[in-house]
Amino acid sequence: MTSALSIDNLRKTYGNGFEALKGISLEVKEGDFFALLGPNGAGKSTTLGIVSSLVNKTAGQVSVFGHDLDTDLTRAKLCLGVVPQEFNFNPFERVLDIVVTQAGYYGINARRARERAEFYLRKLGLWEKRNERARMLSGGMKRRLMIARALVHDPKMLILDEPTAGVDIELRRSMWDFLQEINAAGTTIILTTHYLEEAESLCRNIAIIDHGRIIQNSTMKALLAKLNVETFILDLDRDVQVPPTLEGYDVNLRDAHTLEVDVEKSRGLNPLFEQLTAQGYTILSMRNKANRLEELFVSLVDKNL
Amino acid sequence: MHSQLLFTAFWTIVVKEVRRFTRIWPQTLLPPAITMTLYFIIFGNLIGSRIGEMGGFNYMEYIVPGLIMMSVITNSYGNVVSSFFGTKFQHNIEELLVAPVPNWVILAGYVIGGMARGLAVGLIVTVLSLFFTDLQIHHLLITISIVLLTSTVFALGGFINAVYANTFDDISIIPTFVLTPLTYLGGVFYSIDLLPSFWQGVSQLNPILYMVNTFRYGILGVSDINVGFAFAMIIAFIVVLAAFSLHLLNIGKGIRS
């Protein structure tokens, strides 16, 4: 499979001497839905900024669909659509003008640009707002406007830097559906997010970056398989004063009728239910204490401190 | 990019720029029309009638070319400096940086956008001047070419100012403390023949003097300076400023970290 993004030994030192990237290498395959995660200041936005030509690199090589940024920048840019973290459109422009103008920058003529703008604005539920000034849109609409703008030239790869930050749950879910739809249609997607549930639901491959270095790069499945212990919250039908003794499990009392149970992957959940049933407890509901990826992320980043 | 695609990108920038200054016409087109009308009434009619002739023409006729040129200069500069700085400030320069638009196309788009406003205001002021005097153009080609070249110089100047500007104060310092004094001392209101020889020499270091006088030559056929030298100097300015602007874009000064 072709490489959509190839990064080799990428370094970035800012003017104030801060070394944001310390030689990262990364590969994203064509058609992938890829998560680039890391704590604040880890180097995610710098990496994506270099790929999108918004940040000058200090050293290293980057190529997009085989087009090197140093020698074939125009073709590389044609393959890319970028949704940045901050709103970066002119708030005084009309919604339709913003998208049509962006298409023009890619050499798309006015008639075709308008057709494409209409397609994506309709797709993202913004067509009714096409004549509004962008500053009049809600936060979620502004995010969708940036997605429409990034897609108007039909890029092969879409980079999204925290696209759902500050977006309500319903809208976030609809954006996930949309992103999955365009990924299924062949667009490679690279996503950074602080919502690890989002990365776990959407992405097939993942890299975790911290202090300017890649500390994990694998498939989502392989990464989650590393999680040996998960903590579950169990709601019981009655109050308990002391946590029940359950062989093979660490049990803590969260409150009078809620248990926190550490479950080793090798042991599974069946013996837990059997023992609780035998002791006369009815389990009303059960959930993970934290998102699985979140637990791994925290442990990996903590190790790297 | 194919030349057709490059032209589309270039035209998109120009259209965006024209749309910007026409959308905010009460801030961009109306004020110079009012200011220049006041100049015509106060300096041209009221005071000018007592001054008598200047360079062989009545005072109103003499100042009209200078005032038109002053409008072209300040508006060509002002459009690019405010638009490009605003684009930087709001980060929508990123829309251009991620797209496959070569730097020279970005520069050309903004410069033509600035020229468009400079020329639009110049045209408005010219039409207004017709209410106060008859304009007989002495040399059409010189008149048109000098106004185009001058607006190019100041659009480029505005671009460089915007690249270096970090705050809104930075975009008003050059127009207030450099451009306005040079324009007022650049022979808009008087012939440098009126000055003592020392100040005549000093005035000849002011590039705006050459632009205003060449334009005046195009309209009235009189000039304080050598027109051929003025064209050569202005073209040299354009080459140097364009090369420097392009260099700033290539290294990403003020727009890429």
Side-chain angles (χ1 to χ4, degrees):
Chain A
M1 195 175 273
T2 321
S3 176
L5 175 67
S6 173
I7 295 176
D8 184 30
N9 200 23
L10 187 63
R11 292 177 179 276
K12 173 64 187 178
T13 306
Y14 284 100
N16 60 6
F18 175 67
E19 199 178 3
L21 297 178
K22 298 167 181 165
I24 67 161
S25 297
L26 198 64
E27 186 138 344
V28 178
K29 297 287 180 199
E30 184 175 1
D32 201 354
F33 207 134
F34 190 93
L36 183 62
L37 306 182
N40 286 331
K44 306 180 300 285
S45 293
T46 299
T47 306
L48 297 184
I50 291 171
V51 174
S52 341
S53 306
L54 298 176
V55 175
N56 290 327
K57 65 186 165 73
T58 305
Q61 301 250 264
V62 179
S63 66
V64 178
F65 286 92
H67 306 299
D68 192 292
L69 292 195
D70 292 328
T71 57
D72 199 4
L73 183 61
T74 299
R75 283 202 179 84
K77 282 180 168 181
L78 282 167
C79 298
L80 264 181
V82 182
V83 181
Q85 201 176 115
E86 307 288 342
F87 301 130
N88 69 344
F89 43 75
N90 183 340
F92 302 103
E93 292 243 31
R94 293 187 319 146
V95 167
L96 182 63
D97 289 340
I98 288 171
V99 183
V100 169
T101 297
Q102 190 67 24
Y105 294 156
Y106 286 84
I108 299 166
N109 68 49
R111 189 184 53 80
R112 187 95 185 90
R114 210 189 131 83
E115 284 169 10
R116 289 196 191 185
E118 180 175 348
F119 175 78
Y120 283 109
L121 288 175
R122 281 191 190 281
K123 197 94 182 150
L124 286 152
L126 289 172
W127 183 243
E128 301 306 316
K129 301 281 180 185
R130 64 190 178 280
N131 292 319
E132 298 264 351
R133 305 278 172 211
R135 70 195 164 100
M136 304 306 289
L137 301 182
S138 67
M141 286 176 180
K142 286 175 180 166
R143 294 244 164 244
R144 282 181 280 155
L145 170 59
M146 292 206 295
I147 294 176
R149 185 186 62 180
L151 288 171
V152 75
H153 63 288
D154 290 337
K156 291 162 83 174
M157 181 161 79
L158 184 65
I159 290 177
L160 301 121
D161 197 355
E162 297 187 31
T164 54
V167 168
D168 67 46
I169 294 168
E170 192 184 351
L171 184 58
R172 193 182 306 163
R173 300 272 172 185
S174 76
M175 279 168 75
W176 290 5
D177 291 343
F178 177 73
L179 294 175
Q180 281 175 317
E181 185 186 326
I182 60 168
N183 178 245
T187 307
T188 306
I189 296 180
I190 299 177
L191 175 89
T192 79
T193 180
H194 284 295
Y195 300 112
L196 299 184
E197 181 201 358
E198 182 167 276
E200 189 180 336
S201 314
L202 296 173
C203 302
R204 290 187 284 280
N205 291 293
I206 181 170
I208 298 177
I209 186 169
D210 193 23
H211 294 106
R213 289 196 173 87
I214 301 281
I215 57 169
Q216 188 67 232
N217 186 5
S218 66
T219 63
M220 187 68 77
K221 209 171 171 180
L223 183 65
L224 292 174
K226 289 184 181 178
L227 190 65
N228 290 323
V229 179
E230 284 185 72
T231 305
F232 289 92
I233 309 282
L234 277 64
D235 293 318
L236 305 178
D237 64 331
R238 57 189 161 89
D239 287 359
V240 286
Q241 299 304 315
V242 287
T245 305
L246 301 169
E247 198 187 323
Y249 298 94
D250 282 339
V251 185
N252 293 300
L253 208 54
R254 195 178 164 105
D255 58 45
H257 53 85
T258 312
L259 303 180
E260 247 184 54
V261 185
D262 292 339
V263 179
E264 283 178 28
K265 214 163 211 174
S266 56
R267 191 168 294 274
L269 289 164
N270 287 16
L272 172 69
F273 291 130
E274 284 163 10
Q275 291 184 61
L276 283 169
T277 309
Q279 292 179 35
Y281 291 105
T282 299
I283 303 155
L284 299 176
S285 67
M286 186 181 86
R287 64 186 183 278
N288 276 84
K289 183 182 179 187
N291 168 269
R292 294 181 302 164
L293 183 58
E294 193 172 313
E295 287 190 24
L296 266 169
F297 179 81
V298 170
S299 73
L300 284 166
V301 170
D302 281 350
K303 261 190 232 165
N304 201 41
L305 282 175
Chain B
M1 270 174 109
H2 186 273
S3 56
Q4 180 63 39
L5 303 187
L6 287 178
F7 180 77
T8 304
F10 161 76
W11 193 245
T12 302
I13 300 172
V14 173
V15 168
K16 182 173 75 82
E17 286 302 287
V18 172
R19 195 168 59 218
R20 190 192 77 89
F21 77 71
T22 49
R23 184 178 67 227
I24 52 171
W25 63 270
Q27 295 171 48
T28 53
L29 303 178
L30 189 60
I34 293 173
T35 309
M36 290 303 151
T37 304
L38 290 172
Y39 274 123
F40 291 140
I41 293 170
I42 296 167
F43 290 100
N45 265 357
L46 303 178
I47 299 175
S49 59
R50 299 187 177 205
I51 290 174
E53 285 198 347
M54 182 82 67
F57 293 88
N58 73 49
Y59 193 61
M60 176 67 91
E61 284 175 316
Y62 189 83
I63 64 168
V64 162
L67 290 174
I68 294 171
M69 205 51 147
M70 192 162 106
S71 314
V72 171
I73 288 171
T74 48
N75 283 281
S76 300
Y77 191 95
N79 194 72
V80 184
V81 76
S82 58
S83 175
F84 196 75
F85 178 71
T87 300
K88 254 177 56 173
F89 187 77
Q90 291 166 340
H91 296 284
N92 43 72
I93 186 66
E94 292 174 5
E95 294 175 336
L96 270 168
L97 297 180
V98 300
V101 188
N103 288 333
W104 66 267
V105 173
I106 296 176
L107 181 63
Y110 274 93
V111 167
I112 298 293
M115 289 172 70
R117 175 164 149 199
L119 298 175
V121 173
L123 188 65
I124 290 169
V125 174
T126 305
V127 170
L128 288 171
S129 75
L130 296 176
F131 290 101
F132 299 92
T133 185
D134 287 329
L135 271 185
Q136 303 290 331
I137 294 178
H138 176 258
H139 201 303
L140 185 65
L141 189 62
I142 287 179
T143 307
I144 292 173
S145 53
I146 194 64
V147 85
L148 290 174
L149 291 172
T150 301
S151 65
T152 309
V153 169
F154 286 95
L156 285 165
F159 184 84
I160 293 167
N161 188 170
V163 167
Y164 279 100
N166 292 315
T167 65
F168 281 98
D169 288 342
D170 296 339
I171 64 170
S172 64
I173 287 171
I174 301 284
T176 308
F177 297 106
V178 180
L179 217 53
T180 306
L182 285 181
T183 310
Y184 276 75
L185 298 171
V188 170
F189 296 103
Y190 58 86
S191 163
I192 60 167
D193 288 345
L194 299 179
L195 300 173
S197 61
F198 173 76
W199 291 108
Q200 281 190 29
V202 172
S203 291
Q204 283 173 3
L205 297 174
N206 178 1
I208 294 178
L209 178 83
Y210 295 83
M211 298 163 183
V212 168
N213 271 280
T214 305
F215 187 64
R216 183 173 285 132
Y217 175 80
I219 291 180
L220 301 179
V222 294
S223 168
D224 290 341
I225 49 89
N226 180 309
V227 170
F229 176 76
F231 271 106
M233 186 198 71
I234 293 165
I235 290 168
F237 264 117
I238 290 173
V239 171
V240 171
L241 292 176
F244 186 58
S245 302
L246 213 46
H247 167 71
L248 292 175
L249 275 175
N250 288 339
I251 62 170
K253 175 77 185 167
I255 51 176
R256 281 197 197 94
S257 43

